[in-house]
Amino acid sequence: MKKNNIKLMQGNEACVEGAIAAGMRFYGGYPITPSTEIAEGSAQKLPRVGGKFIQMEDEIGGIAATIGAALTGVKAMTATSGPGFSLKQENIGYAAMAEIPCVIVNVQRHGPSTGLPTSPSQGDVMQAKWGTHGDHPVIALSPSSVKETFDLTIRCFNLAEKYRTPVILLLDEIVGHMREGIAIPDTSELEIIDRKKPSQDDKDYLAYKVEEGEYVAPMAGFGDGFRYHVTGLVHDESGFPTNSNAVADKLCTRLMKKIEDNIDDIVTYEELYMEDAEVVVLSYGGTARSAKSAVKKAREKGLKVGMFRPITIWPFPEKQIKEIADKVKGIIVAELNYGQLVLEVERVVKGSSDIFHIGKVDGDIITPDEILSKIEEVI
């Protein structure tokens, strides 16, 4: 790695760098704080690599343009925050149903509604899972550092391309606006996944025909010489709508199974001091930084405390949480909201361990000392 590739940059800037390294060549969006630097960076850098940037009339137009670009075969991204994420929900569902790979970045800020525009929050965790209607697959990753933002942005594109699905990078304002020095690897060192395309000789190409034992069909780009229909309605292998109950069941089950049956490939996490932990702090994103500091302070006091950080928020790392719950007295969930992912932990643990929550909804961060006080209260 070249020494001069070490740069001081913001999380939002690292997102742009990662996206371009992953092959992003289209950005469609509408600026909204605290995600605006992603739009600005994309506008500046995409033309240098032959890509396109377009500012749309609003957030709905932003994701619609992103979906349209993805259908032409390019890797496409949009970014937003708070109210903009709400507006994009219908088209996230459309992309899930039509199996259009794209990346949606949500730099979470305080809400509801317009809330505190530049104050941090992790209040969109459940919206990322349930924001659009119907049963649909969801992949959402949450970085806790600037370097990890670079890495996970690339991974979002890889997962989107591999599974033909929209993928959400669930940033928060803490990480989005934080500056750290990071080493930018040469693109030759990166694993980049591109969508599987049909053979040009495939005269019988069907855009949604999945071979036996597989979950994802090859995807032709508009202009590649193939014709197919794209709709948010239940559709057959050609893409045309149908009211067949059998087709609906087969399609919707496959959409879910392509994620559920590949959880081990999708879920990543970090553990710290777990070997002898009696109490575990579970935290993610920017708040995990406070949690890690608190756990280290607790260890200095001789307290047997560990930490678990889900990097993949959705699908939820159920297997790992169950294993932890069977070994420890309690799990403290630290998150910057009124209590969201803690509900998922309670659902998975099913009473095999005590669950505690520390949250905040005043627009300020949760400090290490506040988490340490909670640890000392629980242990």
Side-chain angles (χ1 to χ4, degrees):
M1 187 178 297
K2 295 179 182 177
K3 195 172 181 179
N4 59 6
N5 278 346
I6 297 175
K7 296 180 179 179
L8 177 66
M9 62 172 54
Q10 198 183 59
N12 285 344
E13 294 168 344
C15 176
V16 177
E17 292 286 344
I20 290 176
M24 176 184 74
R25 292 299 181 265
F26 181 88
Y27 179 99
Y30 185 81
I32 177 172
T33 189
S35 74
T36 300
E37 294 85 359
I38 299 175
E40 292 173 341
S42 297
Q44 181 184 40
K45 294 180 180 295
L46 269 175
R48 298 175 184 172
V49 293
K52 305 292 184 185
F53 169 91
I54 183 168
Q55 178 176 321
M56 298 299 290
E57 70 274 20
D58 58 23
E59 287 87 349
I60 299 173
I63 190 169
T66 299
I67 288 170
L71 281 167
T72 70
V74 300
K75 295 182 180 179
M77 184 175 85
T78 187
T80 190
S81 179
F85 193 52
S86 299
L87 290 170
K88 292 181 187 294
Q89 291 302 320
E90 183 177 1
N91 271 326
I92 291 175
Y94 179 87
M97 183 58 137
E99 297 186 76
I100 302 167
C102 58
V103 174
I104 301 104
V105 183
N106 177 20
V107 188
Q108 296 171 90
R109 74 185 205 188
H110 186 278
S113 189
T114 42
L116 297 168
T118 54
S119 296
S121 172
Q122 293 174 313
D124 303 344
V125 172
M126 284 299 176
Q127 188 184 26
K129 171 72 172 172
W130 302 110
T132 193
H133 58 280
D135 293 304
H136 56 88
V138 176
I139 299 176
L141 312 181
S142 180
S144 66
S145 70
V146 173
K147 177 63 168 64
E148 195 171 58
T149 301
F150 176 87
D151 294 337
L152 291 189
T153 302
I154 294 172
R155 189 149 195 271
C156 282
F157 275 97
N158 285 346
L159 292 171
E161 295 285 312
K162 185 174 184 177
Y163 294 106
R164 266 188 79 169
T165 192
V167 174
I168 298 167
L169 183 68
L170 206 54
L171 266 167
D172 53 56
E173 191 275 342
I174 297 170
V175 179
H177 279 166
M178 180 171 60
R179 289 189 181 275
E180 291 179 316
I182 72 167
I184 303 292
D186 189 89
T187 52
S188 63
E189 302 172 18
L190 302 173
E191 180 191 19
I192 303 297
I193 297 175
D194 296 321
R195 70 193 65 172
K196 187 178 179 182
K197 290 198 168 191
S199 165
Q200 286 294 321
D201 298 329
D202 188 355
K203 304 301 181 187
D204 301 319
Y205 172 67
L206 295 171
Y208 296 97
K209 182 179 180 180
V210 178
E211 298 298 331
E212 186 71 27
E214 297 189 9
Y215 293 95
V216 181
M219 181 177 178
F222 287 2
D224 286 350
F226 299 94
R227 288 184 178 181
Y228 63 96
H229 192 264
V230 182
T231 178
L233 294 167
V234 167
H235 47 272
D236 60 20
E237 292 178 339
S238 72
F240 277 91
T242 174
N243 285 327
S244 165
N245 298 123
V247 172
D249 180 65
K250 183 179 179 181
L251 170 61
C252 294
T253 299
R254 180 177 62 79
L255 292 181
M256 298 301 291
K257 286 289 185 183
K258 71 178 179 181
I259 303 303
E260 289 180 355
D261 290 356
N262 289 288
I263 280 182
D264 289 343
D265 179 50
I266 298 169
V267 166
T268 57
Y269 56 90
E270 178 189 17
E271 293 182 324
L272 183 68
Y273 304 129
M274 293 295 287
E275 296 79 12
D276 62 346
E278 296 176 353
V279 169
V280 168
V281 178
L282 186 152
S283 192
Y284 52 94
T287 304
R289 301 172 71 91
S290 291
K292 185 175 289 187
S293 177
V295 169
K296 288 181 178 177
K297 288 182 178 180
R299 281 281 168 175
E300 290 170 1
K301 292 187 173 189
L303 303 177
K304 293 183 177 179
V305 183
M307 178 176 167
F308 181 83
R309 179 171 69 91
I311 297 170
T312 305
I313 302 295
W314 306 117
F316 191 62
E318 295 190 14
K319 181 175 70 175
Q320 291 76 16
I321 302 295
K322 285 177 183 173
E323 290 174 355
I324 291 170
D326 289 338
K327 297 176 183 175
V328 303
K329 297 176 183 175
I331 299 174
I332 300 170
V333 180
E335 54 181 340
L336 205 53
N337 54 49
Y338 196 70
Q340 296 198 13
L341 208 62
V342 66
L343 302 174
E344 196 69 1
V345 176
E346 290 172 349
R347 180 187 68 79
V348 169
V349 168
K350 294 185 172 66
S352 62
S353 179
D354 291 331
I355 307 299
F356 306 89
H357 182 256
I358 176 170
K360 191 178 277 189
V361 289
D362 63 357
D364 202 358
I365 66 168
I366 304 174
T367 67
D369 285 345
E370 289 172 323
I371 298 174
L372 180 60
S373 294
K374 190 69 176 180
I375 292 170
E376 293 173 327
E377 174 189 322
V378 167
I379 206 162

